[in-house]
Amino acid sequence: MKRIAVLTSGGDAPGMNAAVRGVVRTADALGVHTLGVEFGYRGLIKDRMRELDARAVSGIIQLGGTILGTARSEEFRTPEGRARAAANLKARGVDGLVVIGGDGSFHGAQALSDEHGIACVGIPGTIDNDLGGSDFTLGFDTAVNVALEAIDRIRDTASSHERLFFVEVMGRRAGWLALYAGLAGGASAVLVPERPTDIEAVRERVRGSFEMGKTFCIVVVAEGDDAGGAYGIANGVVEGTSLDSRVTVLGHVQRGGPPTMRDRVLGARLGHAAVKALLEGQDQIMVGERSGQIIRTSLETAWTDNDHDAGPLLELIDLLAR
């Protein structure tokens, strides 16, 4: 294998640039040329690729977002679009592709491999932490710490005014951001897609906390909660009470900014591991970290067998929320 390509796809996540750097510098050290694909699968179809060497990725490890850009591509979802992408890769002499992204990105990589024989290795890059085969995904640690800092600041205001705050974080289908930020931030309750929301139970917990002498309460809500997000839940909880409440929606601020140490190191390790996997003839696999060790799982396992269990964290939050 003499030439590989790397792309970032789906939502941007802090640590993607660290992974790109890990890919490029590992390949460069092993005598393999790297092409950077601009704007994900759309760039593959439009043949937007550029040579990357060790110097081209200097000074990017601390940057959020992705220097390669990322975009959705409806055309790549079609066989014709994937055929164009594969033809562009083969015309440039590319033997393998590293895809940094989430489950949708990995679906595309597997289809490209199945239909056109392009060897593909995935790196889990999503702030949602919703893939199997890795304890944590790239960007998750940074996003949690951004949310936690906001919660810490909100707590100061909440306690000054004896208020109830609802803080909405990202997570349409998975509540890991809410769970970790809520546990670390001392939330009174955390509402996630993994468990149906009981408005009455939240109301009684909050009211009981104030009655026991707490000067504030914070409820962390994942945006994919089944009760309508933070605003809908807040209206339901305070209805018929004298509770003074406010809602803060953190939104995309969680996806930007410099990656934490953990995401930089994880990106470097996974970038290195992805290149090694390609050079060893691996295909349709994802590299991840489990118990501190780099492991390989099939791309399909990454999106079908999410073995993260929210139950223990939910129980711990319920126990500690006094």
Side-chain angles (χ1 to χ4, degrees):
M1 189 166 288
K2 298 299 183 183
R3 178 169 290 185
I4 64 173
V6 58
L7 63 81
T8 51
S9 177
D12 62 295
M16 281 185 165
N17 287 325
V20 170
R21 177 178 178 272
V23 167
V24 172
R25 291 200 166 174
T26 299
D28 190 74
L30 297 174
V32 177
H33 296 284
T34 305
L35 290 177
V37 183
E38 298 177 343
F39 298 103
Y41 290 124
R42 188 175 75 188
L44 277 187
I45 293 172
K46 295 183 178 296
D47 197 27
R48 294 187 59 174
M49 307 182 212
R50 53 190 167 97
E51 293 279 352
L52 296 176
D53 60 16
R55 297 284 66 78
V57 293
S58 293
I60 70 169
I61 195 170
Q62 81 283 4
L63 300 178
T66 162
I67 63 163
L68 294 177
T70 181
R72 309 289 181 185
S73 176
E74 290 302 319
E75 187 177 359
F76 190 79
R77 297 176 184 270
T78 68
E80 295 78 14
R82 292 191 292 273
R84 286 183 60 189
N88 288 334
L89 286 171
K90 291 176 180 179
R92 288 178 174 267
V94 172
D95 304 305
L97 177 66
V98 177
V99 175
I100 307 171
D103 59 348
S105 305
F106 291 168
H107 275 91
Q110 180 152 317
L112 190 66
S113 175
D114 284 338
E115 296 168 6
H116 302 284
I118 304 293
C120 292
V121 171
I123 293 177
T126 167
I127 67 170
D128 291 333
N129 201 42
D130 59 350
L131 295 173
S134 189
D135 290 336
F136 298 103
T137 57
L138 271 181
F140 175 71
D141 187 70
T142 303
V144 166
N145 278 286
V146 169
L148 180 59
E149 181 180 357
I151 291 170
D152 287 344
R153 292 175 182 272
I154 287 168
R155 183 188 296 106
D156 294 341
T157 294
S159 61
S160 297
H161 295 272
E162 292 191 310
R163 270 186 191 141
L164 163 63
F165 262 86
F166 294 84
V167 181
E168 182 176 295
V169 301
M170 284 183 159
R172 288 194 303 272
R173 293 175 297 175
W176 293 99
L177 276 174
L179 283 167
Y180 276 81
L183 179 58
S188 297
V190 176
L191 310 179
V192 294
E194 288 84 351
R195 182 170 69 177
T197 294
D198 184 338
I199 296 293
E200 181 60 32
V202 176
R203 182 189 298 119
E204 290 309 309
R205 177 178 296 183
V206 168
R207 189 151 45 192
S209 294
F210 279 118
E211 289 173 354
M212 287 192 298
K214 285 195 73 170
T215 58
F216 68 93
C217 279
I218 294 175
V219 176
V220 178
V221 183
E223 64 182 338
D225 177 84
D226 66 336
Y231 281 101
I233 292 167
N235 290 335
V237 169
V238 303
E239 184 178 3
T241 74
S242 59
L243 294 171
D244 182 14
S245 71
R246 297 291 187 275
V247 175
T248 298
V249 178
L250 298 184
H252 285 76
V253 68
Q254 297 158 92
R255 292 227 306 238
T260 59
M261 175 277 291
R262 288 182 58 87
D263 277 330
R264 297 184 198 195
V265 172
L266 184 60
R269 296 184 72 198
L270 296 183
H272 171 265
V275 174
K276 296 285 284 186
L278 281 175
L279 296 185
E280 291 172 13
Q282 295 291 302
D283 183 22
Q284 296 190 15
I285 62 113
M286 184 196 83
V287 291
E289 184 186 52
R290 179 60 52 82
S291 300
Q293 302 299 312
I294 300 299
I295 66 169
R296 299 170 180 177
T297 56
S298 71
L299 288 177
E300 186 174 0
T301 296
W303 72 72
T304 61
D305 188 23
N306 186 345
D307 50 5
H308 300 176
D309 182 8
L313 283 183
L314 285 167
E315 291 176 5
L316 182 59
I317 289 169
D318 290 344
L319 175 67
L320 299 180
R322 302 294 182 190

